[in-house]
Amino acid sequence: MSSTPAPSSLAPEIAARLKRGADGLFPAVAQQYDTGEVLMLGWMDDEALHRTLTTGRCTYWSRSRQEYWVKGDTSGHVQHVKSVALDCDADTVLVKVDQVGAACHTGTRTCFDSDVLPLGQ
């Protein structure tokens, strides 16, 4: 992200509670609202959270492209927001969504199903 954060319309009372990394970002976990399936992890800043809350579609900050992206705008694999919650430390958001199609950029339903690590190693 640039050294000057983009102006945001995020409600001041929400912005005041958020804890961000040095880059101004915080993790956003996307979870299927009705099954509890963890779909993906993305990154947000205040503006991405504001857009997510006001549009009902998940908006993330792409660290590689240095731009905002709305999940599904190019793939059609949309995340319809059902709820957004801050964790107890206010440094992560949980976005419960209704996922249409694959959540992962690899084309799979979830980003967490292809490389399960063995326990007890």
Side-chain angles (χ1 to χ4, degrees):
M1 290 180 38
S2 67
S3 59
T4 309
S8 175
S9 299
L10 184 63
E13 61 274 12
I14 297 172
R17 294 177 58 200
L18 282 170
K19 294 178 187 161
R20 304 156 194 80
D23 56 6
L25 301 175
F26 48 88
V29 177
Q31 179 182 40
Q32 179 63 35
Y33 82 100
D34 54 354
T35 66
E37 180 180 33
V38 176
L39 300 169
M40 61 172 278
L41 176 118
W43 295 92
M44 291 185 178
D45 65 2
D46 290 24
E47 181 59 23
L49 180 57
H50 168 71
R51 293 179 188 189
T52 297
L53 292 169
T54 58
T55 66
R57 299 257 321 272
C58 280
T59 300
Y60 299 99
W61 176 258
S62 171
R63 295 178 301 167
S64 60
R65 295 188 313 265
Q66 296 288 294
E67 65 184 16
Y68 295 104
W69 59 280
V70 178
K71 182 69 175 167
D73 270 3
T74 57
S75 67
H77 300 161
V78 177
Q79 292 176 340
H80 298 284
V81 177
K82 297 295 187 176
S83 67
V84 179
L86 283 173
D87 78 334
C88 59
D89 295 321
D91 62 0
T92 303
V93 293
L94 175 64
V95 186
K96 292 190 179 184
V97 302
D98 189 10
Q99 177 70 48
V100 176
C104 188
H105 70 280
T106 64
T108 59
R109 171 79 180 160
T110 171
C111 294
F112 296 100
D113 65 351
S114 64
D115 199 10
V116 177
L117 303 176
L119 298 175
Q121 299 280 325

